[in-house]
């Protein structure tokens, strides 16, 4: 680092900046910059994996998978030790995420807290991965047979991960994969490679066999494409855009995948909602991490009888969320992942206003920071309503008919998560039956997530489940064993 960036990442906080293969960090001729998302300064130059290094990473991982992983109790020990090491290096992780992801201190610490939960949940699942008995007695003539299933690792799991959760989402892929006995090749986002590298150092220090973890740094168009060419990869797990998900799925062919893709998340506030409970949840769910969460509340449907009060309360709450330097403890909304992303969000807001929407608060841009924006009366065809914003904005629309609100929430290509605030059990059950989303939350927003739960979408939001217990089943093969005495 040069002197101008030393204050951004103190000495000792900089992780390795190469490609990890078999416990070794390797350099390469081509490098790409990692920017501080608030200042725009370069904080690191990271070596992009070469085509040969990608092939070598798969070769090493494939050989390790064929030899077999350590026993389940040993894999669990490694994962628990990794959780302890992350806690001991919390400040390093927080500094790195504040710099390369633009996370506020609160968001970065929350990411560390959840990462430890994910690791410990994965450790628990490693030692209780079992099959089930098959009731052959139900078939005439087969009643003497004894049958049961066992689960085995698929082999090499390729994890391709996003910038908006550079630690916990990575662990939702890496930790269950290893808990199941697979070798893992990770390609983190080129926006946030340093957090992944720091995690790699932690996993190796915790005792993960070096051949079972590779980290290939680089862009999706190069390194990501090379990973899709490697036929020894048995399973791809991806979080990102629907466009890229389609490319991965086409390349995977008959190989298995788990996809968490695009989203336009909706939350519905009914006339009997507890607003004291709902408003803080909605504001935080729409604006935390600068709105760069796949389940961030974007479409907010409010019963017309409450629209004026909800609008006032949300605007007042947004005023308590200062936007700016993520290292300032008072900041609640940090920068977007790039200035280009902030310009895009600013453009969408301006387009919406020009099309008749009312900007109730926020929306001003300074560099890569957008002040939390709340809009009303957005046109049906506007991008703030019809495309995934991935920015700190809530778009409010009143409704009179609950069925119409459900139909409107369903009227997107996506189906990841939705929330409904109501005290009416019949209405809640109707929402659960009607909303075509992977998750429907009652008296919660679309963005409430516990790391233990199954998480995944339908339609263009993808398929398969995260959550350690569920991801492990995705990443294993079920084998039926029958005894016929």
């Amino acid at each position: 680092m040069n002197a101008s960036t030393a204050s951004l990442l103190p000495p000792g906080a900089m992780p390795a900046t190469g490609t990890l293969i078999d416990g070794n960090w390797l350099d390469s001729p081509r490098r790409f910059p990692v920017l501080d998302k608030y200042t725009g300064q370069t904080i690191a130059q990271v070596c992009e994996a070469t085509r040969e290094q990608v092939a070598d990473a798969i070769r090493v991982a494939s050989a390790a998978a064929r030899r077999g992983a350590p026993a389940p109790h040993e894999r669990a020990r490694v994962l628990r030790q990794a959780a302890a090491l992350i806690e001991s290096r919390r400040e390093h992780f927080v500094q790195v995420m504040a710099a390369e992801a633009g996370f506020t201190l609160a968001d970065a610490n929350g990411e560390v807290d959840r990462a430890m939960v994910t690791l410990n949940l994965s450790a628990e699942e490693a030692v209780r991965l079992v099959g089930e008995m098959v009731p052959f007695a139900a078939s005439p003539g087969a009643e003497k047979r004894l049958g049961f299933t066992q689960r085995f690792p698929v082999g090499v799991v390729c994890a391709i991960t996003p910038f908006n959760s550079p630690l916990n989402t990575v662990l939702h892929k890496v930790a269950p994969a290893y808990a199941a006995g697979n070798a893992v090749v990770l390609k983190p986002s080129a926006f946030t490679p340093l957090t992944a590298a720091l995690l790699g150092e932690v996993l190796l220090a915790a005792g993960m066999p070096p051949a079972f973890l590779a980290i290939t740094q680089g862009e999706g168009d190069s390194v990501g494409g090379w990973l899709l060419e490697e036929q020894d990869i048995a399973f791809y797990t991806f979080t990102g855009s629907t466009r890229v998900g389609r490319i991965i799925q086409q390349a995977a062919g008959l190989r298995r995948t788990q996809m968490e893709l695009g989203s336009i998340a909706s939350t519905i506030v009914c006339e009997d909602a507890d607003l004291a409970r709902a408003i803080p949840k909605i504001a935080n769910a729409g604006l935390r991490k600068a709105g760069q969460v796949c389940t961030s509340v974007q479409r907010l449907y409010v019963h017309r009888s409450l629209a004026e009060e909800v609008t006032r309360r949300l605007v007042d709450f947004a005023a308590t969320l200062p936007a700016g330097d993520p290292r300032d403890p008072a900041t609640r909304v940090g920068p977007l992942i790039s200035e280009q992303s902030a310009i895009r969000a600013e453009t969408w807001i301006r387009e919406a206003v020009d099309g008749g929407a009312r900007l109730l608060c926020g929306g001003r841009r300074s560099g890569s920071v957008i002040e939390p924006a709340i809009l009303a009366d957005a046109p049906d065809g506007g991008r703030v309503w019809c495309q995934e914003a991935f920015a700190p904005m809530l778009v409010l629309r009143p409704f009179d008919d609950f069925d119409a609100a459900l139909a409107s929430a369903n009227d997107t290509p996506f189906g990841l998560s939705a929330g409904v605030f109501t005290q009416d059990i019949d209405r809640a059950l109707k929402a659960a039956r009607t909303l075509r989303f992977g998750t429907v939350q009652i008296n919660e927003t679309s963005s409430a997530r516990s790391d233990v739960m199954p998480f995944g979408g339908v339609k263009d939001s993808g398929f398969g489940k995260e959550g350690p217990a569920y991801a492990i089943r995705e990443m294993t093969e079920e084998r039926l064993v029958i005894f016929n005495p």
Side-chain angles (χ1 to χ4, degrees), residues 270-273 402 406 420-432 442:
C270 298
E271 63 268 32
D272 60 346
F402 183 61
L406 296 177
V420 178
F421 285 90
T422 183
Q423 303 300 314
D424 186 323
I425 186 64
D426 291 332
R427 186 182 288 139
L429 289 172
K430 185 172 191 176
I442 308 301

Side-chain angles (χ1 to χ4, degrees), residues 312-362:
R312 176 180 56 79
R313 290 198 188 192
L314 281 174
V315 169
D316 290 345
F317 198 96
T320 70
L321 302 174
D325 185 350
R327 297 174 187 81
D328 183 342
T331 298
R332 289 295 174 265
V333 178
L336 273 72
I337 197 63
S338 68
E339 186 170 9
Q340 290 74 22
S341 295
I343 292 170
R344 174 189 58 78
E346 181 186 40
T347 300
W348 285 21
I349 292 170
R350 188 182 303 118
E351 285 180 357
V353 172
D354 290 345
R358 291 183 294 131
L359 179 61
L360 304 175
C361 68

Side-chain angles (χ1 to χ4, degrees), residues 240-260:
S241 71
T242 298
R243 179 188 67 83
V244 175
R246 293 185 194 279
I247 294 171
I248 294 172
Q249 188 60 45
Q250 184 176 23
L254 292 178
R255 292 175 292 171
R256 292 160 60 185
T257 62
Q258 181 269 323
M259 301 276 173
E260 189 212 310

